[in-house]
Amino acid sequence: DAEAVAAFQRMSRLEGIIPALETAHAFAYLETLCPQLSGSPKIVINCSGRGDKDVQTVAKYLEEH
């Protein structure tokens, strides 16, 4: 969960995109996946869902942690 919340915050801050938490999990996994890849692969992540619905959940998580 911490990795997904960090990715949620990073995407919001750097790209101006509020990803859904499901999409934030995919972005967080890039930290694990990318070091394992060789060459210059292209990675596509579908930013589905609306993260604005998850803002309160993330805020509550950040307050608790």
Side-chain angles (χ1 to χ4, degrees):
D1 288 343
E3 292 87 1
V5 170
F8 179 95
Q9 292 177 297
R10 190 167 40 251
M11 287 302 297
S12 298
R13 186 178 66 251
L14 297 177
E15 299 295 334
I17 297 169
I18 303 173
L21 284 174
E22 297 84 359
T23 303
H25 278 279
F27 281 117
Y29 183 67
L30 291 176
E31 298 290 329
T32 300
L33 176 65
C34 289
Q36 299 175 33
L37 303 175
S38 61
S40 299
K42 307 244 187 296
I43 298 172
V44 176
I45 294 180
N46 180 12
C47 293
S48 61
R50 293 178 42 198
D52 60 315
K53 295 180 180 181
D54 296 318
V55 170
Q56 294 301 322
T57 302
V58 171
K60 183 178 177 182
Y61 177 88
L62 292 172
E63 286 178 10
E64 294 173 356
H65 296 87

